[in-house]
Structure formats: C-alpha cells, structure tokens
C-alpha cells in the first residue's frame, strides 16, 4: 500500500492510501495484513492522512482542498469538508477533543471535529530551525508524533508549544526492509504511525513497504 494514514483500533489497522486512481481507505487484519474492507476514492483524488474519532473515519486529500467523513463500520461517506486556512492535506490525528492536521509546512492545525474549521495552529521548531514537510501524525501519550516527508524520522512534538522534544531515527528499519525490496529513496519512505493505547504498542510502516513493524523507542 502507498500508505498515507495509519490507525489502530480494537485489534484492527485502518489505512488510508494515496496516488490518483489508487487511493482508498482500508480495514486490515493486523497479523496477516489481509484487507478486510476497502472503499476506493474517485480517481481525481489523491488520498492522504486519516484518523478515527467518535466512530467516524476522517480522510484528507492532498491538493484538492477537500476531506471526507465516513461511517467507520460501513465506510459510507457521510459528508465532505473544505480546508479554510491550511494549504494542503497531509497528516491527520486527534487528541480526543480536536482533529490535528498537517499541510506540508511547519504548521500543525487544530480542527473543530463538528465544523471541521481550523481553529488554531502551532509552528514546529527545533532549537535551531523550523521543521517543514510534516506528514503523517499520531497522538501518543499527550505528544504529537510526526513523520517528515522523505526522511526516515519521527519527531516528538509538544502540542502546546510546537517544540520538538525528541527525534526518533528509524533509518535502521529502512536498512532492514531494503534487504527484501528495492525502495525509491525519494518517495517510498517511512510514513505511517499507529498507536495501540491499551497495549502500549507502536506500529510504523512506509509507502509501498511490504511490512508493518512494531517498535519500541529507547531514549538515548
């Protein structure tokens, strides 16, 4: 799968995939990778990040300025929404109150889950510079975990200040998977973070990666 969004809920993975003509949302069996349920997007759309909130699945598109809301159980589309302030659709998660969205810049937007309006934002900075190309997101134990496009890295971001509190280097995972398949370094990078809160498990994958990994982050 050309993974753009990844979620874990009640024993299943949910995946949003990208590229025009191949974009979809999927319910996937965790242990086998078997696709149990799938809904394809119209070929004009390039699917991006997803999140699950209040039994609804939210999905972004890349440059079309539109997102979709589905019934989680049936995958039936219930409504659409337009981006009013953010530039594009990249990554999506939530903190239990607001949807949290990236748009390819250093901005992380907080959306009202009912109106889907971007109500506020933070800017993500290290001690040296702003961090752009923020992509797939996951909210983990009060912090935002963010992929950076074209880098095999996860940033750990303070959701109040935008401060980067940690950087997880996952280059070793890329090395492992490249023993089995050839990857395009410009495109087929780490992208996809899912957190199983009940069992404290963290899953990651990449675009067109043939495997999903359960990882533990060790603080240096």
């Amino acid at each position: 799968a050309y993974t753009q969004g990844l979620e874990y809920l009640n024993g299943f993975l949910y995946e949003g995939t990208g590229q025009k003509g191949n974009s979809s949302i999927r319910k996937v069996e965790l242990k086998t990778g078997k696709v149990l349920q799938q809904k394809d997007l119209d070929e004009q759309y390039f699917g991006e990040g997803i999140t699950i909130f209040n039994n609804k699945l939210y999905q972004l598109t890349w440059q079309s300025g539109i997102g979709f809301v589905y019934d989680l159980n049936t995958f039936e589309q219930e409504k659409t929404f337009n981006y009013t302030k953010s530039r594009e659709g990249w990554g999506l998660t939530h903190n239990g109150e607001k949807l949290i969205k990236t748009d390819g810049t250093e901005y992380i937007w907080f959306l009202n889950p009912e109106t889907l309006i971007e109500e506020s934002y933070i800017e993500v900075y290290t001690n040296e510079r702003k961090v752009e190309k923020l992509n797939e997101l996951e909210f983990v134990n009060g912090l935002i975990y963010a992929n950076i496009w074209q880098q095999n890295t996860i940033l750990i971001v303070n959701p109040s200040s935008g401060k980067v509190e940690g950087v997880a280097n996952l280059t070793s995972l890329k090395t492992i998977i490249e023993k089995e398949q050839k990857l395009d370094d410009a495109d087929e990078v780490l992208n996809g973070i899912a957190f199983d809160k009940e069992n404290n498990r963290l899953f990651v994958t990449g675009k067109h990666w043939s495997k999903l990994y359960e990882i533990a982050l060790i603080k240096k």
Side-chain angles (χ1 to χ4, degrees):
Y2 192 82
T3 306
Q4 300 285 70
L6 195 66
E7 288 281 299
Y8 175 93
L9 185 68
N10 298 332
F12 297 98
L13 284 172
Y14 292 83
E15 196 163 25
T17 73
Q19 300 194 321
K20 288 186 177 180
N22 287 307
S23 294
S24 65
I25 52 172
R26 305 172 177 187
K27 182 179 181 179
V28 178
E29 198 168 63
L30 179 63
K31 289 188 177 179
T32 65
K34 180 181 178 184
V35 178
L36 303 174
Q37 192 176 346
Q38 179 169 333
K39 184 180 182 72
D40 295 331
L41 267 70
D42 188 283
E43 60 183 22
Q44 68 177 301
Y45 296 117
F46 192 118
E48 283 282 349
I50 66 166
T51 196
I52 296 167
F53 185 67
N54 287 346
N55 220 40
K56 310 229 179 279
L57 190 150
Y58 297 79
Q59 181 184 32
L60 303 175
T61 63
W62 180 26
Q63 293 178 320
S64 300
I66 191 172
F68 302 105
V69 184
Y70 306 93
D71 179 277
L72 178 61
N73 298 313
T74 65
F75 280 6
E76 287 301 311
Q77 185 183 312
E78 295 187 348
K79 63 180 178 180
T80 64
F81 61 97
N82 295 312
Y83 315 152
T84 59
K85 298 173 185 174
S86 54
R87 193 176 69 179
E88 296 177 347
W90 286 48
L92 196 62
T93 188
H94 71 86
N95 61 6
E97 297 178 2
K98 306 282 186 185
L99 301 188
I100 304 173
K101 174 185 183 295
T102 55
D103 64 358
T105 68
E106 71 274 21
Y107 288 81
I108 294 180
W109 298 88
F110 294 83
L111 282 65
N112 182 305
E114 297 299 323
T115 65
L116 297 160
I117 299 292
E118 298 99 325
E119 293 182 333
S120 62
Y121 65 86
I122 55 174
E123 296 176 68
V124 178
Y125 275 80
T126 67
N127 60 331
E128 296 176 342
R129 61 182 179 86
K130 65 182 179 181
V131 184
E132 299 177 281
K133 298 182 180 178
L134 298 169
N135 203 356
E136 221 276 302
L137 298 175
E138 188 75 358
F139 196 76
V140 180
N141 297 328
L143 296 167
I144 298 171
Y145 283 41
N147 284 133
I148 308 172
W149 185 52
Q150 292 184 323
Q151 293 189 32
N152 295 286
T153 301
I154 294 175
L155 296 187
I156 300 171
V157 179
N158 184 302
S160 301
S161 65
K163 176 186 175 184
V164 175
E165 298 195 348
V167 180
N169 182 353
L170 272 65
T171 304
S172 56
L173 269 192
K174 179 171 173 280
T175 303
I176 291 169
I177 199 162
E178 281 188 316
K179 292 176 182 175
E180 301 179 17
Q181 65 178 112
K182 183 171 172 54
L183 298 175
D184 177 351
D185 284 341
D187 192 33
E188 294 170 340
V189 295
L190 184 79
N191 201 52
I193 313 166
F195 184 54
D196 171 8
K197 189 174 182 179
E198 286 69 33
N199 299 296
N200 197 36
R201 295 187 295 175
L202 189 65
F203 301 104
V204 297
T205 190
K207 300 182 184 193
H208 285 153
W209 287 22
S210 60
K211 283 190 166 65
L212 174 90
Y213 295 93
E214 179 184 342
I215 65 168
L217 296 180
I218 310 300
K219 190 170 183 178
K220 284 189 174 180

